[in-house]
Amino acid sequence: MENIQTEKLEVTQKPSARSTKINLNILSVWGPPIIALVLFLLIWQFGTLLLQIPPYIMPKPTDVLAATIENWSRLVNSATTTILESVIGFVFSVLIGVSAAIIMASSKILERSLYPYAILLQTIPIVAIAPIIVIWFGSGMNAIVIIAFTIGFFPMLSNTLIGLNATDRSMIDLLSLYKASKWQIMWKIRIPAALPYIVAGLKISCTLAIIGAIVGEYIAGIGGGDGGLGYAITVASTTMEIPYLFACGIAASILGIVFFLLVSLFSKLVLGSWHESEMKKER
Amino acid sequence: MVTESTVVNKVSTQVESSQSVVRMTDVGKVFPNGNVAVNNINIDISAGEFISFVGPSGCGKSTIFKMISGLIDNTKGNIEILGSDMNDTGQKRTDVGFVFQDATLLPWRSVLDNVMLPLEFQKMSKQEKKQEALRALELVGLEDYTKSLPRQLSGGMRMRVSIARALVAKPKLLLMDEPFGALDEITRQSLQTELLRIWEKQKMTVLFITHNVFEAVYLSTRIAVMTPSPGKIASTVDVPLAFPRNDEIRTTHQFSDIVAQVSHDLKF
Ligand SMILES: Nc1ncnc2c1ncn2[C@@H]1O[C@H](COP(=O)(O)OP(=O)(O)OP(=O)(O)O)[C@@H](O)[C@H]1O
Ligand SMILES: [Mg+2]
């Protein structure tokens, strides 16, 4: 077994060299966008000041900041409501999307008969069906969760289905040799092999769920508690609280970013050890 | 699909030497699209043989292996597989191991978990499964890499894991479809030597596919030479070289004579 020595694992990288590399990486990754953001805020601030645009048309960053501080508890309430709605909607779209994909992948007949309607559902604009959802489920939390679910469902379904159907043929042959059942093949091979696709679906659906919740609040009104960010935006626009309206919009996009980062972190944890898409840093 | 053939599996408690392990009589395979992959395959393989199938691409070598392992059905003739616990009524075929051309490891599983895979379909305690997997990994010299993931291994090591996985259920019959095709010459030769060592130790029957005549002669007790369109066995060549074989044997006259014989038969 002499030849084993020549096939040693490559685990030699000096830790010190690696950590300075990572520091440099952080700077080169975060530096440019932060500089761009600061520049953008400065131009916004001094541009509106110089052009003397009134705050009810275009508030300055400082106006937005002031409105945020002033209405902090209102903002936190609205954000909490929106988070709750979108998380519930997202969880449903993941659970139902993945289960539906598994069912369709296990039977070609089911896939052929159901998938076209899933695509059809996807092509109907959400604003067209939202009023119907409101009529069926009443205006409020339920309808909003269902709208968030509807938007996030299709990317989960189609991504998972593509992943399940893309499983390596020889791996399935391998399990057939052991006389594995259809469900054993699904559980031991197809679902793990589809994980990278499922995670890609999660990344799309999580931000869509926030958009769904906000659109839902727009149409279905108050939602839970005192209403979410979408509802707050409609109220702020009728009462001409434009700086607060901006604060709500920015809060919504921060929610989307945080949501996306959490899902990305999850993806690293799940796939980090083996899948290509999460291995770039090692190369 | 119309199948006029039957797979007959006799059950016996023990494989005695010189007993037939695989017997194919007039076996043919026509794919649903009309491709005639093989026609009239006749071969009788005895227990303990190491038999190689050589032949040009597309002559039906993989098709024969898939029929023997039960992955696909033959459309003509009889395939008889003798051995203990072998029948075709849905029981697990732990008596047949299969090594594919690429290692076909599950990238999300550690080396140990990959090797344990075939045992997961058997009734056996977790501890026993682990012991068996470790034993198989020792056989291929990878007992120190149980926790590694496949992508952390070299191509040669991945193939060893794949061989360990095929051996873990102690098969009587091992099918290897061009297992070393993707490896460099040095790794290939060391794996050949190791495979022979394992074969002698485990006393199993090995069926081996290769494009490489030298590899076939070095490894085999017998070589089945195949010709294409439609695929058939043109001749079988005995390899009377003594075991254990070492690298020196590759340069003997006897070795090159057999290589010449096989190459000659390939050109028909
Ligand atoms: N699923 C299939 N459907 C139709 N034809 C097939 C199928 N699989 C193989 N064939 C045909 O059967 C013939 C034999 O194929 P096979 O894979 O057994 O060849 P092979 O000898 O293993 O070749 P190679 O050395 O390239 O692996 C080929 O002509 C091929 O086109
Ligand atoms: Mg082949």
Side-chain angles (χ1 to χ4, degrees):
Chain A
M1 246 140 289
E2 321 85 325
N3 47 308
I4 290 211
Q5 261 94 40
T6 61
E7 293 179 7
K8 276 260 167 64
L9 293 180
E10 302 168 32
V11 273
T12 44
Q13 202 182 8
K14 281 175 199 137
S16 60
R18 195 195 262 170
S19 68
T20 50
K21 211 178 190 178
I22 286 174
N23 283 341
L24 272 176
N25 261 342
I26 289 174
L27 234 131
S28 67
V29 168
W30 292 99
I34 287 173
I35 293 170
L37 178 69
V38 170
L39 275 178
F40 173 73
L41 289 175
L42 286 175
I43 293 170
W44 179 5
Q45 177 77 21
F46 292 103
T48 37
L49 212 62
L50 282 175
L51 297 172
Q52 295 184 315
I53 304 172
Y56 54 84
I57 305 266
M58 184 72 193
K60 295 184 291 294
T62 45
D63 297 332
V64 177
L65 190 67
T68 307
I69 293 165
E70 194 184 319
N71 300 289
W72 182 248
S73 64
R74 251 169 90 196
L75 189 64
V76 168
N77 272 341
S78 302
T80 314
T81 305
T82 301
I83 291 171
L84 194 68
E85 291 156 354
S86 42
V87 167
I88 297 175
F90 175 61
V91 167
F92 274 112
S93 56
V94 173
L95 291 181
I96 297 175
V98 171
S99 328
I102 290 174
I103 290 167
M104 286 187 197
S106 62
S107 148
K108 270 274 162 268
I109 296 171
L110 274 180
E111 180 181 346
R112 287 213 194 97
S113 44
L114 294 180
Y115 195 61
Y117 297 103
I119 296 173
L120 196 73
L121 184 74
Q122 168 69 5
T123 57
I124 302 172
I126 192 70
V127 284
I129 43 172
I132 303 169
I133 293 174
V134 173
I135 289 168
W136 287 348
F137 298 95
S139 66
M141 190 84 168
N142 289 350
I144 293 165
V145 166
I146 286 167
I147 291 167
F149 154 76
T150 313
I151 292 192
F153 169 74
F154 187 76
M156 284 318 301
L157 172 73
S158 62
N159 267 290
T160 309
L161 196 58
I162 291 169
L164 291 173
N165 286 336
T167 318
D168 195 353
R169 182 71 231 170
S170 56
M171 285 189 190
I172 294 176
D173 275 355
L174 183 74
L175 260 77
S176 317
L177 281 177
Y178 313 139
K179 293 268 155 75
S181 71
K182 208 164 93 177
W183 291 109
Q184 283 173 319
I185 292 178
M186 179 66 79
W187 190 245
K188 286 185 193 289
I189 303 287
R190 297 179 76 185
I191 292 176
L195 265 184
Y197 296 84
I198 296 176
V199 163
L202 291 178
K203 285 181 181 170
I204 300 170
S205 287
C206 70
T207 47
L208 284 181
I210 301 230
I211 294 173
I214 287 172
V215 169
E217 288 163 1
Y218 244 90
I219 295 160
I222 197 153
D226 304 325
L229 288 174
Y231 180 68
I233 288 172
T234 53
V235 172
S237 73
T238 50
T239 56
M240 293 297 275
E241 292 173 274
I242 306 304
Y244 183 57
L245 190 154
F246 268 71
C248 290
I250 291 168
S253 76
I254 290 174
L255 278 190
I257 292 166
V258 169
F259 224 33
F260 181 81
L261 290 178
L262 286 176
V263 170
S264 300
L265 192 72
F266 171 77
S267 130
K268 278 217 168 57
L269 288 178
V270 175
L271 306 177
S273 54
W274 64 274
H275 195 260
E276 309 263 343
S277 66
E278 295 294 352
M279 275 162 39
K280 282 170 215 135
K281 289 224 176 77
E282 269 178 51
R283 299 235 164 111
Chain B
M1 207 186 347
V2 186
T3 310
E4 50 175 282
S5 65
T6 47
V7 179
V8 182
N9 295 296
K10 289 183 188 160
V11 180
S12 74
T13 45
Q14 194 185 342
V15 181
E16 295 133 31
S17 61
S18 88
Q19 192 181 348
S20 157
V21 173
V22 178
R23 179 178 293 145
M24 302 180 90
T25 343
D26 292 332
V27 170
K29 172 71 186 177
V30 183
F31 279 103
N33 67 355
N35 270 4
V36 183
V38 289
N39 205 8
N40 287 336
I41 298 289
N42 283 292
I43 195 161
D44 199 339
I45 301 166
S46 310
E49 272 196 273
F50 193 125
I51 181 162
S52 290
F53 291 74
V54 293
S57 191
C59 69
K61 304 180 295 292
S62 300
T63 305
I64 291 180
F65 274 33
K66 282 180 186 159
M67 289 190 293
I68 294 174
S69 65
L71 276 179
I72 58 174
D73 290 325
N74 47 320
T75 49
K76 186 165 131 322
N78 269 340
I79 303 176
E80 234 172 278
I81 299 164
L82 287 171
S84 52
D85 310 324
M86 284 289 291
N87 59 46
D88 204 31
T89 55
Q91 268 201 341
K92 280 154 191 129
R93 296 192 179 191
T94 54
D95 282 9
V96 181
F98 204 131
V99 178
F100 298 92
Q101 173 160 16
D102 51 350
T104 323
L105 303 177
L106 313 189
W108 54 88
R109 286 187 176 215
S110 69
V111 164
L112 186 71
D113 288 342
N114 263 292
V115 175
M116 275 165 65
L117 181 71
L119 303 178
E120 286 167 23
F121 305 93
Q122 294 182 24
K123 285 199 188 77
M124 208 187 252
S125 76
K126 183 96 186 156
Q127 196 53 39
E128 259 179 295
K129 284 179 194 169
K130 201 174 163 187
Q131 258 164 21
E132 288 300 310
L134 281 172
R135 184 191 58 82
L137 280 169
E138 255 167 55
L139 217 49
V140 298
L142 283 183
E143 63 274 22
D144 294 335
Y145 293 91
T146 52
K147 290 199 175 67
S148 307
L149 287 166
R151 65 172 188 81
Q152 298 171 310
L153 306 177
S154 69
M157 291 164 93
R158 269 181 232 159
M159 190 40 78
R160 288 165 196 272
V161 178
S162 185
I163 293 172
R165 182 181 60 195
L167 294 174
V168 74
K170 299 191 178 117
K172 299 264 177 349
L173 174 62
L174 181 61
L175 305 171
M176 305 180 88
D177 189 347
E178 276 187 68
F180 307 150
L183 304 177
D184 63 272
E185 193 54 31
I186 298 164
T187 314
R188 176 192 273 253
Q189 290 193 4
S190 73
L191 277 178
Q192 286 169 359
T193 307
E194 245 180 89
L195 177 60
L196 279 186
R197 185 181 54 75
I198 293 168
W199 167 69
E200 287 177 83
K201 197 170 159 191
Q202 303 292 103
K203 297 188 172 43
M204 54 187 176
T205 312
V206 178
L207 275 61
F208 191 95
I209 292 178
T210 176
H211 280 120
N212 186 324
V213 179
F214 294 92
E215 179 169 73
V217 175
Y218 180 71
L219 291 172
S220 319
T221 58
R222 193 150 65 111
I223 298 171
V225 182
M226 294 188 65
T227 48
S229 55
K232 57 185 172 302
I233 296 175
S235 69
T236 62
V237 177
D238 284 319
V239 185
L241 302 169
F243 290 95
R245 294 177 185 172
N246 50 29
D247 280 340
E248 280 88 76
I249 212 168
R250 296 178 200 267
T251 51
T252 61
H253 277 300
Q254 209 185 355
F255 189 92
S256 39
D257 286 348
I258 301 166
V259 168
Q261 166 82 51
V262 172
S263 308
H264 173 265
D265 289 358
L266 271 173
K267 300 218 168 69
F268 268 101

